[in-house]
Amino acid sequence: MHNPGERDFESEALDPDALLWVRGVDYVTGWRDAKDAAAELAAALTAAGMDVTGETGVRARAAADVDGSGVVHLRLSAAMLRGIAALVRDSAAWRRAG
C-alpha cells in the first residue's frame, strides 16, 4: 500500500476502469480504508523489528470489494510469514502468562 517510507508497499491508485461500478456504492472509502490498513501493518511489522522491504518483505495492494468494503491483498515470502507467525505465538504466550 502507499507508504512513502516503504518501497515494497505498492502505491497503486484506484483504477476506476478495473471495476464494475454499482450505483450508490462508495468504493473509494473502502479503498482508502484498505490503503490505511496496509500502512498500519507495515508500521507494526517495522516496529516489531521485521524488515518489510526487499525480497523477504511484504507486498500489499488495496482494493474495494463489490460491496465497497476495503480489502488488502497480501503477498508474503515464506520467511516473512514465519516471522509473523512467531510474533503471534509470542504475543499469545505473553497474554497467557500475564
Side-chain angles (χ1 to χ4, degrees):
M1 265 332 18
H2 179 67
N3 185 347
E6 303 297 337
R7 69 172 194 259
D8 287 323
F9 274 70
E10 298 172 9
S11 182
E12 295 180 12
L14 181 64
D15 181 6
D17 295 327
L19 299 173
L20 175 63
W21 294 95
V22 175
R23 186 174 309 222
V25 176
D26 182 5
Y27 296 102
V28 175
T29 298
W31 175 80
R32 284 183 184 145
D33 184 42
K35 179 177 72 81
D36 293 344
E40 285 181 42
L41 175 64
L45 291 173
T46 300
M50 301 188 77
D51 180 12
V52 297
T53 63
E55 293 295 317
T56 61
V58 177
R59 295 197 186 266
R61 183 177 56 84
D65 212 345
V66 294
D67 64 355
S69 61
V71 177
V72 178
H73 300 273
L74 294 174
R75 183 175 172 195
L76 309 167
S77 68
M80 178 60 72
L81 189 56
R82 286 185 185 99
I84 292 170
L87 286 172
V88 172
R89 276 192 305 273
D90 291 349
S91 176
W94 178 80
R95 287 178 190 259
R96 282 191 302 269

